[in-house]
Amino acid sequence: MSFELKNPPPQSALRFLSQELMMRYSSIPIDFNEEKRVLTVAVPDAGDIDLINDLQVASGVHILPVEATEDQIIQWINAFAEKSIPTFGLNSASSKANSPIIRLVNEIISEAMHTGVSDIHFEPGEKAFLVRFRKDGVLKIARKLPLRSISEVISRIKIMASMDIAEKRRPQDGRIHFDDESKAVDIRVSALPTDYGQKMVLRLLDKGQIIHKLDSLGMTQAQIDLCEKEIHKPYGMFLITGPTGSGKTTTLYTLLQMIRSTELNISTIEEPIEYKLEGITQTAVNTKIDLTFAAALRTLLRQDPDVIMVGEIRDRETAELAIRAALTGHLVFSTLHTNDAPSAIVRLIDMGIEPFLVASAVNFIMAQRLVRRICPKCGGKDPNCLTCGNCGYKGRIGIFEMMPLTETLRDMIHKGASNSELKKAAIQGGMKTLAADGADKVAAGYTTQSEIAAEAIV
């Protein structure tokens, strides 16, 4: 028998779900028992366990379902939901809801945010539900959660990230703005289906950690001088190379902040936008609407730019457009995935760019890696050090290889020189390799030889 709503639902009930969630689930709260903390909700199917579970996670209280037709529920939502004032912020750590799952997820994110963690992994398995933190590039187990909590924890994160809770078979992406009243952070969320449930990875984007000076990245004064000379050139291409997680984006943001000016039109194309930079126009790639790097760059060139940052050169079309921009009076920053600086030249040519165009357009190539920095408090020698958490390292430092394109190198590129020939000539011209910079930083006491070896810097 279908439930009939005789009186408008009280605000004490409506506040538990936003109008958006009511419409998403075709459900509306109609009563709330404060003493028992039970929320009565009208739903199309009272036997839908997944729906009831999702509503319980979203509201933070126990759900008592009553059946009504979907048409009736939609009418009630349109009539009454506009008047509701949800007080339980989905994306806030200060939520007053008393759900253990909400508290658990908030505690995990807050702990990560305050301890310098860059990524949180929620990993369902056959025998364990692990939470792992990545700190200074290393993953470690932070918690082991009950297997029975997998569905609720994953659903809670997806609600916070405005993701589709019902979709469990396809990958999804979302974003969370999390604020525990002492600190705020933006979080990029990725969901991937696995045999034991959906794995969630949360990337914490701490605006307070944007580097403003090159020496804070670990550059020597000679390296800083080289970079400053190149970023103030009126046109040409500045490339940063290295594997994923080597700090390329952080370096790019730092360089852009150094040249930011009201006299320059600086624009970026990113996937995604990790940090908002004041005074700089930022565009996010969106493949769902065919807004690729190439498509965005083609439009951007009609926007009268002075400086362009392309998050990554992945294909021939993007490479051609970036090269053309560098040759027609624009300063272009971008990244590539190569092992060292000379390899970037070969990579561009392999993409189909003519050697003479590469030789003419590229001004400077910098390869980089990140290694853990020896703890400044204990020097890596105190097993009870609270500063580094007994691991001997605190923070990370960059290892750099910088290759300005001299006339000699441009001539060699034009003539089709190999990677090894280019590297040899660059070293003869004064280039310090990644291995040499790493050795210098070990000798100076910044890091250890094991860290250099772990990054395969040779």
Side-chain angles (χ1 to χ4, degrees):
M1 183 175 178
S2 180
F3 174 82
E4 291 293 335
L5 185 64
K6 297 180 180 179
N7 297 305
Q11 291 297 315
S12 61
L14 290 172
R15 64 178 180 165
F16 280 91
L17 295 177
S18 66
Q19 185 178 26
E20 178 188 353
L21 287 178
M22 292 184 204
M23 294 300 291
R24 183 187 302 178
Y25 297 126
S26 297
S27 307
I28 184 171
I30 55 175
D31 193 29
F32 178 59
N33 186 316
E34 183 73 43
E35 183 179 349
K36 296 182 179 179
R37 295 200 62 76
V38 173
L39 183 67
T40 303
V41 182
V43 298
D45 180 4
D48 188 338
I49 302 301
D50 286 338
L51 173 62
I52 305 308
N53 178 63
D54 289 344
L55 288 171
Q56 188 160 298
V57 172
S59 64
V61 293
H62 293 292
I63 300 296
L64 175 64
V66 295
E67 282 195 10
T69 66
E70 190 163 357
D71 287 343
Q72 285 178 315
I73 293 172
I74 298 302
Q75 288 178 5
W76 295 337
I77 292 173
N78 290 331
F80 305 118
E82 293 179 344
K83 304 171 186 176
S84 68
I85 306 174
T87 60
F88 303 109
L90 293 176
N91 299 340
S92 172
S94 61
S95 169
K96 299 178 183 177
N98 289 323
S99 164
I101 293 299
I102 291 177
R103 288 200 306 271
L104 173 64
V105 173
N106 286 345
E107 286 171 6
I108 290 171
I109 296 176
S110 188
E111 178 187 345
M113 183 171 65
H114 287 283
T115 55
V117 169
S118 62
D119 301 85
I120 308 172
H121 292 232
F122 291 85
E123 301 177 340
E126 182 180 7
K127 298 180 179 179
F129 181 23
L130 298 181
V131 178
R132 294 200 291 167
F133 288 170
R134 185 181 296 279
K135 186 176 179 181
D136 295 336
V138 178
L139 271 174
K140 289 186 178 179
I141 295 174
R143 299 195 187 194
K144 292 183 179 180
L145 304 181
L147 283 173
R148 65 178 180 275
S149 69
I150 291 176
S151 177
E152 290 180 296
V153 169
I154 298 305
S155 293
R156 174 59 188 166
I157 296 170
K158 293 177 79 173
I159 287 172
M160 294 172 74
S162 300
M163 297 161 75
D164 185 354
I165 292 179
E167 179 55 74
K168 296 177 172 66
R169 298 172 299 171
R170 293 186 178 88
Q172 290 188 72
D173 295 302
R175 253 184 128 86
I176 298 170
H177 178 74
F178 187 85
D179 188 347
D180 67 358
E181 297 182 352
S182 66
K183 188 176 183 180
V185 67
D186 288 327
I187 302 171
R188 198 170 74 219
V189 183
S190 173
L192 179 69
T194 74
D195 286 348
Y196 303 105
Q198 295 174 91
K199 176 178 177 178
M200 308 291 288
V201 176
L202 281 61
R203 167 65 61 87
L204 278 61
L205 306 171
D206 188 352
K207 295 179 180 178
Q209 292 186 352
I210 298 179
I211 304 296
H212 294 275
K213 294 185 178 180
L214 294 178
D215 58 356
S216 300
L217 297 174
M219 290 188 190
T220 64
Q221 189 57 52
Q223 291 170 333
I224 292 171
D225 292 343
L226 268 176
C227 282
E228 288 189 333
K229 176 184 175 182
E230 295 297 330
I231 64 175
H232 288 101
K233 289 184 175 179
Y235 57 86
M237 182 176 284
F238 187 119
L239 285 173
I240 302 179
T241 77
T244 300
S246 60
K248 298 188 298 296
T249 301
T250 299
T251 302
L252 279 175
Y253 278 125
T254 303
L255 296 172
L256 289 178
Q257 289 185 123
M258 290 172 63
I259 61 173
R260 184 174 53 187
S261 165
T262 56
E263 297 177 357
L264 291 176
N265 177 11
I266 304 176
S267 300
T268 74
I269 306 168
E270 307 172 55
E271 187 187 26
I273 296 170
E274 295 194 10
Y275 301 102
K276 300 293 178 63
L277 299 176
E278 188 177 347
I280 293 176
T281 303
Q282 295 174 269
T283 300
V285 169
N286 187 344
T287 54
K288 293 179 182 178
I289 58 172
D290 293 325
L291 183 61
T292 61
F293 278 112
L297 181 53
R298 192 178 294 107
T299 300
L300 189 58
L301 289 171
R302 297 193 287 268
Q303 293 276 314
D304 187 32
D306 297 299
V307 179
I308 301 169
M309 189 270 269
V310 181
E312 184 182 343
I313 294 176
R314 296 179 179 173
D315 52 53
R316 178 175 178 172
E317 185 179 11
T318 306
E320 286 178 339
L321 288 167
I323 289 286
R324 189 195 340 158
L327 290 171
T328 54
H330 306 89
L331 183 59
V332 179
F333 293 88
S334 193
T335 71
L336 282 171
H337 289 285
T338 63
N339 291 328
D340 58 16
S343 297
I345 298 296
V346 178
R347 178 71 189 280
L348 287 172
I349 294 172
D350 285 346
M351 283 183 172
I353 308 300
E354 292 290 341
F356 76 91
L357 291 175
V358 175
S360 302
V362 178
N363 289 342
F364 189 80
I365 304 172
M366 177 170 66
Q368 70 176 67
R369 299 286 192 281
L370 285 177
V371 295
R372 289 186 293 174
R373 187 192 294 258
I374 293 173
C375 176
K377 182 74 179 292
C378 72
K381 299 177 181 178
D382 184 355
N384 300 310
C385 178
L386 297 178
T387 299
C388 63
N390 312 326
C391 71
Y393 298 96
K394 177 69 174 178
R396 290 192 285 178
I397 189 171
I399 306 294
F400 302 97
E401 176 178 287
M402 300 186 177
M403 190 176 88
L405 262 69
T406 62
E407 289 306 314
T408 298
L409 289 173
R410 293 185 196 278
D411 187 54
M412 292 178 67
I413 294 168
H414 195 271
K415 293 178 179 177
S418 66
N419 184 64
S420 59
E421 290 171 335
L422 290 172
K423 185 169 186 176
K424 182 178 179 181
I427 293 172
Q428 290 174 346
M431 182 184 80
K432 181 186 289 187
T433 64
L434 284 167
D437 193 43
D440 286 350
K441 287 186 167 72
V442 171
Y446 291 120
T447 190
T448 62
Q449 186 57 47
S450 60
E451 281 294 297
I452 300 298
E455 284 295 318
I457 298 173
V458 293

